[in-house]
Amino acid sequence: AKAEGRSRTMFFESLMGETVRARFQLEAELRLAILEDQLRLYLQPQVNSSGVQVGAEALVRWQHPTRGLTLPGLFIPLAESSDLIISIDRWMLSAVCRLLAELDAEGSSIRLSVNISPRHFQQADFVSEIQHQLEASGADPSRLVLELTEGIVIGDIGDVIAKMTLLSTLGIHFSIDDFGTGYSSLAYIKRLPIHELKIDKSFIQDCTSDPNDAALVETILSIAKHLHFQVVAEGVETLGQSEFLNARGQIIHQGYLYGRPEPAAVWRARLSQSGAT
Ligand code: C2E
Ligand code: CA
Ligand code: CA
Ligand code: CA
């Protein structure tokens, strides 16, 4: 039994060794990815209840030299445990601001949402960084939406309010992503200059079959209505889900039913074909 215990310990040690090594390798590759321009900007449409595309969410992809196109689920969690996430967010923000300026020049009034991780938001120079990105690109701040998760309120609430208020005065809008899944304090949410709530796809998934999920979605819609927030429903895949939402208000829809995330160039071509503005 003693020998067995030892071999088991060795097994786990080597397993952990592999994991640590794999993490180190992924981190090193990711650092290189940013330097060597392997990140890609993808966009997914957001449509209003009349089916008009009013915005799009920017989602990062990693064009890995050997593994191919890699989804954020495989590298964002690791990136979030270090300052790597700040470099990724900045790369995306800069790509989004440039795209916004180009769309603006074409007469489009579409808005673009970009994900900001808590570690990035907590940087002391976050406000001036955003200001700089807007000035450098010439993007209209009122077309930029920053998606924050409830996780940001874990930090210094005074600092969070100050940063958001400053950016709001520039015209930037804020959206609370994955609303209802995180550390949710309505007392805090109420104090922030928020424009929009995003209902997480886990609630939308079964809203037509599970009364609990239906009730949760309705509760979020009611909170949004009372606090005058716009609502985006994420992960809308079926007509049934879209009808459920349309019966309950003016909600912006995002999901495979309307379009998958696509490379920025493909998304743009489709946008000009549709004649949307
Ligand atoms: P998220 O912000 O909640 O983004 C929505 C995710 O749902 C995206 O996954 C999107 O592709 C997926 N999705 C959209 N419609 C549907 C649908 O109808 N059904 C299903 N099943 N899924 C749908 P994706 O692109 O894999 O991104 C995963 C997460 O990675 C994002 O979740 C976000 O938290 C993070 N992420 C992506 N890009 C960035 C970034 O530039 N910066 C940061 N900090 N995080 C990012
Ligand atoms: Ca998001
Ligand atoms: Ca989400
Ligand atoms: Ca999410």
Side-chain angles (χ1 to χ4, degrees), residues 56 69 154 158 214-215 254:
L69 194 71
I154 290 168
Q254 181 183 346

Side-chain angles (χ1 to χ4, degrees), residues 61-109:
R61 300 290 182 263
W62 178 8
Q63 188 62 57
H64 190 279
T66 54
R67 275 194 294 265
L69 194 71
T70 308
L71 290 171
L74 285 168
F75 61 94
I76 289 286
L78 175 73
E80 278 182 326
S81 66
S82 75
D83 282 355
L84 268 174
I85 191 65
I86 300 172
S87 308
I88 296 174
D89 278 2
R90 282 192 181 139
W91 188 92
M92 286 292 281
L93 200 57
S94 138
V96 161
C97 285
R98 271 181 279 130
L99 179 57
L100 267 181
E102 287 172 21
L103 291 168
D104 199 27
E106 291 169 8
S108 166
S109 60

Side-chain angles (χ1 to χ4, degrees), residues 57 115 147 177 198 234:
E57 180 177 3
N115 293 286
E147 292 195 3
D177 204 1
K198 287 192 88 171
E234 175 190 275

